[in-house]
Amino acid sequence: IENAISCICVLLVLGYDEDTISQRITRLHAIDMRLQLKHSINDCVVINDSYSADVTSLKIALDFLKQQSSGLKRTVILSEFIESGKANEELYADIAGLLNSYEIKKVVAIGESIVEQVQKKLTPSIDFLGYASTEDFINEFRSSQFYREIILIKGARKFEFERIAKLFEKKLHQTVLE
């Protein structure tokens, strides 16, 4: 609704008439962008928030993760945060502090800066896996590493985390043996 209202306002400012706007606005469709919750492989639940990476949206996503966890082990797959305006050391200290405070059990970090900075700031009780790139993670991915977990996938667009989210999708097959 908010996006439609913004769109209508822009079109009015640009001088479009009301009939044209009402005709075109009906053709808009919703776009999934934030906090998509899906049941996944190995009795996991995935929260896909792979479209933004900033500390504020991370906190919102971690709140949602905590709310939805219902006894599942909490895992976070996280990319580097780009253009935060903070120095890497300060930024990743903040991120590690959030991860520590939300009782995360496993962190998968992707990107050289985040791997270097976050691991040393996490509590020892958190399992840590680090990868230089999304490609490295995908190449080494084993579904058996994830079982009965709620997994938050959160990353900057440039890391293409939608590829990681696809790895967790349940594959439904219709096979008949005669």
Side-chain angles (χ1 to χ4, degrees):
I1 292 272
E2 291 172 22
N3 291 335
I5 292 169
S6 298
C7 197
I8 290 168
C9 290
V10 168
L11 291 172
L12 286 170
V13 168
L14 292 174
Y16 285 84
D17 63 87
E18 291 178 29
D19 290 335
T20 302
I21 293 171
S22 63
Q23 180 187 33
R24 291 182 181 176
I25 208 79
T26 59
R27 289 189 268 163
L28 291 178
H29 54 83
I31 299 172
D32 288 334
M33 291 294 275
R34 297 288 319 275
L35 300 173
Q36 301 168 19
L37 184 73
K38 294 184 178 180
H39 291 278
S40 181
I41 59 170
N42 302 335
D43 293 326
C44 291
V45 174
V46 169
I47 300 170
N48 185 359
D49 194 18
S50 60
Y51 300 104
S52 64
D54 60 79
V55 177
T56 303
S57 67
L58 175 61
K59 183 165 182 354
I60 291 166
L62 288 170
D63 284 334
F64 188 69
L65 174 76
K66 183 177 183 180
Q67 195 177 66
Q68 299 296 322
S69 62
S70 63
L72 296 173
K73 186 168 91 172
R74 297 178 195 162
T75 297
V76 176
I77 300 175
L78 203 57
S79 79
E80 290 181 351
F81 284 31
I82 300 167
E83 299 175 11
S84 72
K86 290 184 177 181
N88 275 353
E89 194 164 314
E90 180 186 355
L91 170 67
Y92 293 123
D94 291 348
I95 290 169
L98 282 171
L99 296 171
N100 290 332
S101 69
Y102 277 86
E103 300 172 11
I104 304 301
K105 297 298 180 203
K106 185 190 312 178
V107 171
V108 178
I110 299 177
E112 292 175 11
S113 294
I114 194 170
V115 168
E116 180 185 317
Q117 294 290 322
V118 168
Q119 182 175 13
K120 59 189 174 189
K121 295 175 176 86
L122 293 176
T123 60
S125 62
I126 297 176
D127 293 333
F128 182 85
L129 299 166
Y131 299 91
S133 69
T134 303
E135 202 63 42
D136 289 347
F137 175 81
I138 290 170
N139 289 337
E140 294 183 35
F141 178 78
R142 301 292 171 265
S143 63
S144 59
Q145 291 177 305
F146 302 90
Y147 180 73
R148 295 196 43 77
E149 299 171 38
I150 184 161
I151 304 163
L152 171 62
I153 300 174
K154 179 122 188 86
R157 285 183 191 267
K158 94 170 209 168
F159 284 87
E160 300 176 338
F161 272 19
E162 62 275 4
R163 294 169 55 207
I164 292 175
K166 259 190 160 348
L167 295 173
F168 288 96
E169 288 179 4
K170 279 188 178 179
K171 312 294 189 266
L172 300 176
H173 300 284
Q174 292 285 337
T175 303
V176 177
L177 177 63
E178 292 184 18

